[in-house]
Amino acid sequence: MSLYDWLLFLHVAAAFALVAGVVAYGVVILGGGGDVVRRALAAPALALWNAGGVGVLVLGIWLAIEVDVYQVWDAWILAAIVLWFVASAAGGQLSREVREAKALDLGTARARFAVMALVTLVLLVDMIFKPGA
């Protein structure tokens, strides 16, 4: 396998981890179950979200540099980076609230989760369809 094949494979695997983190946070925030579920899934959700997020960003930029057809300053890549920062901001706040809050404010947590999930979905659509490429 070439370097491109490995980078693409790892980039897609990181995207799966990122989405798995969103799903795990969804269960924590929307799924009920109270503190037991929150404590059980908070650490795996955080690990998946962080590993997937860092992997998607680093490997995506590496891919853009490696592939001659794409440039890091292509509009769809810049849009993906901006979306990544927005999702990471919401996800970071949500992660902190889930880890530290004794009594989680579900209204705020649901709003942060909605932003995190929606922006992650838009990011995936941007990566799949590469608008303007």
Side-chain angles (χ1 to χ4, degrees):
M1 284 179 67
S2 68
L3 176 60
Y4 168 78
D5 293 330
W6 278 109
L7 290 174
L8 184 60
F9 169 76
L10 293 172
H11 182 64
V12 172
F16 274 101
L18 184 71
V19 171
V22 171
V23 170
Y25 272 120
V27 172
V28 169
I29 302 303
L30 306 174
D35 286 341
V36 173
V37 171
R38 186 170 44 120
R39 283 190 206 115
L41 288 179
L46 177 64
L48 288 165
W49 173 255
N50 286 342
V54 170
V56 163
L57 181 67
V58 170
L59 294 164
I61 291 173
W62 193 352
L63 270 167
I65 293 168
E66 183 70 24
V67 177
D68 293 333
V69 179
Y70 304 128
Q71 303 298 326
V72 175
W73 52 85
D74 287 349
W76 67 274
I77 295 174
L78 290 176
I81 292 170
V82 169
L83 290 166
W84 183 90
F85 276 108
V86 172
S88 293
Q93 289 292 329
L94 180 63
S95 298
R96 184 169 32 271
E97 290 172 3
V98 167
R99 279 192 326 264
E100 296 175 359
K102 300 278 190 235
L104 187 63
D105 178 7
L106 283 179
T108 303
R110 286 181 178 140
R112 291 192 201 287
F113 172 75
V115 170
M116 180 175 107
L118 182 63
V119 174
T120 300
L121 176 64
V122 174
L123 174 61
L124 289 172
V125 169
D126 180 59
M127 291 280 91
I128 292 167
F129 295 105
K130 300 170 183 52

